[in-house]
Amino acid sequence: MAFIPHTAADVEAMLAVIGARSIEQLFEEIPPDLRSRPLAGIPQALNEMEITRLMSRRAATDRVALSFLGAGAYEHHIPAAVWALATRGEFYSSYTPYQAEASQGTLQATYEFQSMIASLTGMQVANASLYDGASALAEALLMAARIRRRPESRRVLVPRAVHPHYRAVARCITSHQGLRLEEVAYDAATGRTLVEALEPYDGEDLAAVAIQQPNFFGVLEDVDGLAEWAGRRGIPLVAIVNPISLALLRPPGEWLAGADVVVGEGQPLGIPLSSGGPYLGFMATRLEHVRQMPGRIAGRTLDLAGDEGFTLTLQAREQHIRRDRATSNICTNQGLMVTAATVYLSLMGPQGLRRVAESCHVRAGELVSALTGIPGVRAAFTGPRFHEAVLQLDRPVEPVLAALERRDILGGLDLAADYPELGHALLVCATETKTRSDIEDFAAALGAVLEARTAA
Amino acid sequence: MAPPREPLIFHASRPGRGATDQWPREPGGAISIPEGLLRSRPPALPEVSELDAVRHFTRLSQLNFSVDTHFYPLGSCTMKYNPKACNALAMLPAFLARHPLAPESRGQGVLACLHELQGMLGEVTGMQAVALGPMAGAQGEFAGVAMILAHHRARGEFARREIIVPEAAHGTNPATARLCGAVVREIPVGADGDVDLEALRAAVGAGTAGIMLTNPSTLGVFERRILQVAEIVHAAGGLLYYDGANLNAIVGRVRPADMGFDVVHVNLHKTFSTPHGGGGPGAGAIGVAETLAPYLPIPIVGREGERYRWLTERDLPLSIGRLSAFMGNVGVLLRAYVYMRLLGREGLSRVAEHAALNANYLLARLVRAGFEAAYPGRRASHELIVTLRREAREQRVTAMDFAKRLLDYGMHAPTTYFPLLVPECLLIEPTETESKETLDAFVAAMVSIEREAREDPERVRRAPHTLPVRRLDDVRAAKRLDLAWTPDGRTADPPR
């Protein structure tokens, strides 16, 4: 039990070597009144057959539906090879490659990942992952404030069109460093963050400007205009991007004036939705800023014989060396997700990834056309889209979603709580996993639900 | 003997090749995105067949040491066996397919597991409330220190901004305190490995927010005067933070709450055996005493009758906030849940016993073989420290050399040069899942390396000899930065 291999004879022999009468004696340095608490609240052990049955039953209650949910977590096809490889014990039961010579597999995969992320984002270097997209934004803002080199600059501009949870996480983490997130309004007609909305901050002391492309509404921002505004004022620019979209969209490194730090959620790259995690925060930057970057970084070097190999590098930035002067407190990251994403990107290649991005975009366009053809449904914004869109209904969204759910359709995200100013707004998404007939089914169901309710 | 190196996957790339069966069909529609927003050059991703990729990553995996293939006594990391069932059951298709924003009605299965996990972790730590969101130990630490500071602020005690950290602490402790805006105050550890109480008394005061402690400490011994430590810190108005990195030493035997701790994080990837994944993902669940419960990070799983639901800022208006876009590393949490149910009450109480048995056995055998214990006369916790300062002085063979040579013997090295205050140290954590035979083989390897250090020290200094690469030049790696492959072959070397 408990995966402990000891026989009674082993225990006896080992205690004899130690010179202890019992295992209990090994705990003698612990004050007696602290010892041996019962675990009354922990259930009796199950064997593997029993736990399999329990978990299978529970999984079955979480019935899978036809889903048009996005909002930062996206359903994509995951090739079987991705997790067949990532769950090899050699990858998943190893740890941070402190002993480089015994961890070349993890290190090389990480170096390949960094190379792919750098190319996708148009930047020079990437790290070996952060926790998720939202916490990566928090780290990026802290990094941008360090790049700024003006300790008194504490205000950062984050558009209201950035994912609300990302803004919440960034606030939670960076407020302790005195950063103040200031919300930039979006244009009610296009759903874009306009350069004019930044103008009131002209001449103000800012630590960073963040832009999400595509933004939370799925709308494509005028990234050149926004980036140029920040660049001309010497304010570090943080870009938040969807890695799939980068097969199609101009990468932040090629925006006018270019981004200083690029972060995003790597979940679309072969990582299952899994109720929210584990996902994959990624970060890329310019070489000149690499010493301000948080997290592990793999580098290529030479060994004693002059042959190439891989090792963790620039560790003087990190907590185990620099302690309270480190660039971040991060230690354990999302290593296995890096391996999965690297396999995914290798299988897709530039052509496959582009095909995925194009399919997402085309299907989403068809989805918007189909749904806005229903009386009482209209598109909220006119700005160009990637693979999500905000729709406005003629009535509260929540009961409509509930009615769709009864038809085994997850019809999107109700924005009432986060964006009350948008009225009865619904965020929908389509990826390459949705067929035209899925879209027709959704449109038919929504039409029926709205009609039934109108009649009632 | 060593598997051959594997070329970068980019070198296998051929224009026009691809794992085309994985690609979606042509979408059959127009791209309606303004030209100016479109990418002009494709990203430099490899163009390889599925078989190319499968071979490449399979071969890469074979270059790794791992728990599944090698003894991995990396101190402070608890590299125990990760039961296959935990992985398989967390990856049931319905769990993987569930969108984080799907309605709770379509998540009662996963929510039930998480709710029960909260309860079991509360039981093990003695804490009143548990939040599962933090995605690693360091994020759990962040949540804990942020809650301590929030607690003081709520009481109007704005001057309490100092976090006391023993010098032997994990680097994440001072780094976290600093990230939280606190002032770090280090205190010394006595020659016996316990916190210097006089120094602690001198350090506490009106500015004390709290102390961060690992118990057993990173020195591989139990902090015997923990109750006095708690009394001193509490009397000064501070709170106690328990770094759960070493919980495997006491799980089921001692509860952090009973030691006087107010807040704890639990590394589920250590004590509760979720796979380390080559560096993550982990999970840093956090438990708190009643006073801190209102500040817990969201979301938390609540239960109303037979229904489970997410608790958000509406339920917890004083929460320190949100640490992840959704719900932390749910898949990791499910693995920990399965592990705890597999072990149950009886199994969990055996974990610390056998972890301690293995560590003390290894210590006794190594000392008998002539190695020097860093803290002689002390019981080992679940891990132990030997110092190779004599070997370094007499043979000029360092702890790093021993570590690299151990790799040639087919064992992953222990943690080296941590904790920093023990010279030439190896921090060795065998875990409870290793057999006596494995421990005996480790001792035999150490004895053999010791002999080599006397007879042929150069062999040890130049180790490893049998791995895919020889010893790597870390200094060069940091000086001549090569952090990404690029198509033009120009590596990213700094211009300066």
Side-chain angles (χ1 to χ4, degrees), chain A residues 364-388:
Chain A
E366 291 166 357
L367 177 68
V368 172
S369 300
L371 298 183
T372 53
I374 300 168
V377 182
R378 65 181 202 89
F381 301 120
T382 58
R385 288 184 291 267
F386 175 53
H387 71 348
E388 291 183 278

Side-chain angles (χ1 to χ4, degrees), chain B residues 225-385:
Chain B
R225 296 183 296 247
I226 182 60
L227 293 172
Q228 285 142 282
V229 169
E231 199 180 310
I232 292 168
V233 174
H234 280 150
L239 297 182
L240 278 82
Y241 182 90
Y242 183 84
D243 177 332
N246 292 345
L247 186 67
N248 210 51
I250 59 164
V251 62
R253 306 283 307 183
V254 181
R255 304 191 303 179
D258 296 334
M259 293 189 251
F261 287 95
D262 302 285
V263 47
V264 358
H265 89 256
V266 180
N267 302 86
L268 299 183
H269 49 291
K270 296 181 182 178
T271 310
F272 300 106
S273 197
T274 69
H276 283 72
I286 190 142
V288 292
E290 197 123 39
T291 43
L292 292 179
Y295 307 109
L296 279 170
I298 50 166
I300 296 171
V301 182
R303 181 178 179 169
E304 284 161 4
E306 289 304 299
R307 273 188 56 82
Y308 299 96
R309 71 173 181 92
W310 299 114
L311 303 180
T312 66
E313 49 269 77
R314 280 188 287 275
D315 306 283
L316 291 155
L318 297 179
S319 165
I320 57 159
R322 175 176 274 288
L323 297 171
S324 61
F326 301 106
M327 174 49 205
N329 289 336
V330 176
V332 176
L333 302 172
L334 287 177
R335 285 166 175 81
Y337 173 75
V338 173
Y339 176 80
M340 291 185 88
R341 295 300 308 266
L342 274 171
L343 265 62
R345 190 184 303 161
E346 316 85 325
L348 276 176
S349 67
R350 286 163 53 89
V351 166
E353 292 174 359
H354 291 80
L357 178 66
N358 277 0
N360 281 283
Y361 174 73
L362 207 47
L363 178 61
R365 288 223 46 205
L366 287 169
V367 168
R368 255 185 225 187
F371 290 96
E372 184 184 353
Y375 293 94
R378 297 289 312 262
R379 286 283 183 216
S381 58
H382 64 314
E383 58 189 353
L384 61 137
I385 302 182

Side-chain angles (χ1 to χ4, degrees), chain A residues 38-58:
Chain A
L39 292 167
I42 307 284
Q44 300 280 342
L46 299 178
N47 63 30
E48 187 169 315
M49 189 166 63
E50 292 160 344
I51 186 72
T52 300
R53 192 164 173 155
L54 173 72
M55 295 302 280
S56 303
R57 201 171 61 230
R58 289 199 171 158

Side-chain angles (χ1 to χ4, degrees), chain A residues 72 74 159 161-164 166 193 210-217 219-221 223 226 238-242 255:
Chain A
Y74 302 100
V162 168
H163 196 305
Y166 281 44
T193 306
I211 305 174
Q212 186 172 14
Q213 176 78 328
N215 70 23
F216 181 67
F217 305 133
V219 173
L220 296 173
E221 298 277 14
V223 286
L226 298 168
V238 173
I240 311 156
V241 291
N242 175 332
W255 295 352

Side-chain angles (χ1 to χ4, degrees), chain A residues 186-199:
Chain A
Y186 56 87
D187 175 47
T190 59
R192 292 179 126 184
T193 306
L194 302 182
V195 177
E196 294 88 87
L198 299 178
E199 289 303 341

